[in-house]
Amino acid sequence: MKKILLLSLLLILSAQTINALENTTCKTCHPKIYREYQHSIHANSSIYKDSLHKAIWDRHPDKKKNNYKCAKCHTPSDHDLISGKSKLTDNPIQQTEPISCQACHQIESIEKHAKANKNIFTHKKKYFFSADTKKKGQKVLFKEEKSFFGLLTKTSGSPYHDIDYSNENYYNGESCMGCHAHKQGGNGFTICNLEVKQGNSKETCISCHMPKQPGTFVNLKNTQTHAFHGTSIRNGAPMHLSRSIELNLKTLDKGFTVSIHNKATHALFVHPLRLGQLRVSIERDGKRIALKPISFHRVIGKAGKPTMPWLADTVLRDTTIKADEKRTLQLDTPLHKGDTVVIELGYYIANPKIAAKLGIKDTRLTEFTRLAKKRIVIE
Ligand code: HEC
Ligand code: HEC
Ligand code: HEC
Ligand code: HEC
Ligand code: HEC
């Protein structure tokens, strides 16, 4: 244990002199979380990693001026870019930690604005917020000792940083809302709004998108579990999210109804690039009859036609399923005894029609991903 600690500290010291990347230090003591994070969308949100983000940016009027305003949400850890010291260029931060560990763990509060909310970061160095209901309210301060051996006698806290367990935003999910609540275009039109409604749900952004997984969160002690840090809806729909979608079927005299209950605390597939889809098929006498898919999306545009987000000033169509909504859809196909009805709800990251126009070829973005599925035998 002492050896590991000493080794970690040595690694950190060498890492700090060789490499200025923020996450490199965290990696030494939090390797599991670091590894998961590499696959998360937050580690891949720059134009150099996300081809869809790049495709839209390439067409954005601000690109000609190289004025990458998207940085405050997509690459907040490129500090020189944020402060205006440098322009958008390919660099190791854009490649590996556009939204670094610190970009989330140092959010002190969220300032609410109509255009987009704003993250207010703490100015204290090596000071991180976290959540642990057993330690709620505590601030575990790390005292810098003169020698390694002084550190080794510490029994609690982190030997590298302070931890503040008193910030409510890390318990209720509010810390996600600086970037995720909504965004308006230059003309004041709302391009995207997650339409969060907490209602009576006990779940939060964190409990659903960062559920506890087996495995310790830190090398130095065995905590049994850690919060999942790999959130991304493009590596297949996460199993743990499927359980917040409830699918049901009711037979009628003519045809049947399918209902979708969205138990998430926000609307589904709200981003204007997404396309949600319900697919129903009937297995009968060894054959499969696929019914016409039903789409859910929010189409934005101008003068009755869909447009790029910065040109849009109206919502042309909004069939997205809202928080806690139970959507019932009627299908006319008559069912027979012995039929098996297969109901699937899923999505395309990039609506295939838009993807074709943008020249997007990455199949992870253009293929249907299933979020929830149910098979029902008709009796
Ligand atoms: C030298 C090892 C070390 C390094 C480097 C390190 N941590 Fe930690 N960290 C710890 C230890 C040990 C704990 C557990 C403290 C406890 O449980 O009392 C911890 C706890 C945490 C927690 C709170 C966990 C909880 O209880 O909810 C967060 C958040 C965190 N670290 C983030 C980071 C980030 C971000 C970095 C990189 C900038 C980092 N750590 C670098 C050792 C380290
Ligand atoms: C207020 C914060 C914020 C700003 C500013 C912002 N975005 Fe985003 N963007 C987000 C969030 C959050 C998502 C994820 C939304 C979701 O999945 O529902 C996102 C998703 C996207 C996506 C979909 C990406 C994908 O691969 O799924 C594109 C494209 C995109 N943004 C383009 C841009 C461009 C271009 C700019 C700058 C002109 C920009 N964004 C500015 C927060 C922001
Ligand atoms: C009860 C569980 C639940 C809660 C609580 C929840 N989500 Fe979700 N979230 C989901 C499900 C289910 C999806 C759809 C998964 C998918 O598209 O693969 C989703 C999708 C998303 C997406 C991707 C949407 C898209 O189409 O691009 C974002 C971004 C998101 N959630 C953010 C949040 C934030 C921020 C909060 C807190 C305000 C939150 N979620 C709370 C279950 C939840
Ligand atoms: C998108 C925001 C976000 C990013 C990026 C992020 N974290 Fe976290 N992290 C959180 C939140 C929120 C929690 C609290 C989870 C909870 O309450 O279960 C957390 C919890 C933790 C914990 C405590 C684990 C536990 O089981 O409670 C550690 C340690 C940690 N993060 C380290 C890191 C490290 C290291 C990185 C970078 C590799 C990182 N985080 C990146 C939001 C983030
Ligand atoms: C600093 C801004 C920022 C913060 C804080 C943040 N996110 Fe994100 N998040 C983004 C951006 C930007 C994207 C879209 C990136 C892209 O698609 O290129 C995104 C995408 C997502 C997605 C969609 C995944 C996908 O594959 O498209 C989910 C789910 C998500 N975030 C959950 C969370 C949760 C939960 C929290 C809080 C614990 C959080 N985020 C905090 C900026 C942020």
Side-chain angles (χ1 to χ4, degrees), residues 26 30 33 37 42 101 104-105 131 206 210 212 217 226-227 229:
C26 322
H30 302 292
I33 288 182
Y37 164 86
H42 296 122
C101 312
C104 274
H105 284 282
I206 299 165
M210 305 181 71
K212 294 285 184 217
F217 73 64
H226 67 281
H229 273 69

Side-chain angles (χ1 to χ4, degrees), residues 104-282:
C104 274
H105 284 282
Q106 292 203 305
I107 298 172
E108 186 157 53
S109 59
I110 309 293
E111 230 175 65
K112 305 261 159 100
H113 296 279
K115 233 176 142 42
N117 292 346
K118 188 176 170 194
N119 293 315
I120 306 297
F121 297 100
T122 175
H123 294 296
K124 295 182 200 157
K125 291 237 162 14
K126 297 186 189 171
Y127 190 93
F128 305 136
F129 299 100
S130 192
D132 183 339
T133 43
K134 285 193 218 81
K135 295 183 184 167
K136 197 167 177 179
Q138 287 182 31
K139 292 179 191 174
V140 182
L141 301 186
F142 154 61
K143 276 200 225 74
E144 208 123 23
E145 307 275 345
K146 289 215 165 48
S147 76
F148 286 153
F149 301 98
L151 294 179
L152 296 177
T153 56
K154 272 183 79 71
T155 51
S156 70
S158 157
Y160 177 71
H161 53 73
D162 298 336
I163 308 168
D164 184 339
Y165 294 102
S166 67
N167 191 332
E168 190 59 37
N169 300 331
Y170 290 76
Y171 294 85
N172 59 16
E174 200 52 30
S175 65
C176 313
M177 300 309 274
C179 301
H180 276 282
H182 57 269
K183 181 179 181 288
Q184 288 184 350
N187 56 3
F189 172 72
T190 299
I191 295 172
C192 199
N193 189 334
L194 203 54
E195 296 181 54
V196 175
K197 284 195 196 73
Q198 191 59 38
N200 294 326
S201 178
K202 287 195 182 65
E203 305 276 9
T204 66
C205 320
I206 299 165
S207 69
C208 280
H209 291 282
M210 305 181 71
K212 294 285 184 217
Q213 305 285 303
T216 184
F217 73 64
V218 64
N219 266 347
L220 313 174
K221 63 181 194 187
N222 187 0
T223 65
Q224 312 292 342
T225 63
H226 67 281
F228 177 64
H229 273 69
T231 196
S232 172
I233 63 163
R234 59 192 59 198
N235 306 330
M239 279 299 288
H240 57 261
L241 288 182
S242 306
R243 66 183 152 87
S244 37
I245 308 294
E246 211 175 276
L247 300 171
N248 270 307
L249 177 147
K250 219 163 111 188
T251 48
L252 302 174
D253 288 344
K254 288 180 192 152
F256 58 103
T257 62
V258 167
S259 66
I260 306 165
H261 185 185
N262 170 22
K263 293 194 264 177
T265 55
H266 55 75
L268 290 177
F269 323 121
V270 288
H271 196 278
L273 285 171
R274 305 276 188 261
L275 176 67
Q277 212 167 66
L278 178 78
R279 294 181 168 187
V280 181
S281 59
I282 303 166

Side-chain angles (χ1 to χ4, degrees), residues 260-312:
I260 306 165
H261 185 185
N262 170 22
K263 293 194 264 177
T265 55
H266 55 75
L268 290 177
F269 323 121
V270 288
H271 196 278
L273 285 171
R274 305 276 188 261
L275 176 67
Q277 212 167 66
L278 178 78
R279 294 181 168 187
V280 181
S281 59
I282 303 166
E283 291 171 3
R284 179 183 297 163
D285 305 329
K287 289 201 194 83
R288 194 173 147 269
I289 310 159
L291 306 184
K292 195 169 167 272
I294 298 167
S295 293
F296 308 103
H297 51 175
R298 185 167 171 278
V299 186
I300 58 175
K302 195 182 170 110
K305 290 215 180 69
T307 60
M308 281 295 174
W310 51 90
L311 299 173

Side-chain angles (χ1 to χ4, degrees), residues 16 46 119 195 316 366:
Q16 277 178 337
S46 73
N119 293 315
E195 296 181 54
L316 303 176
T366 57

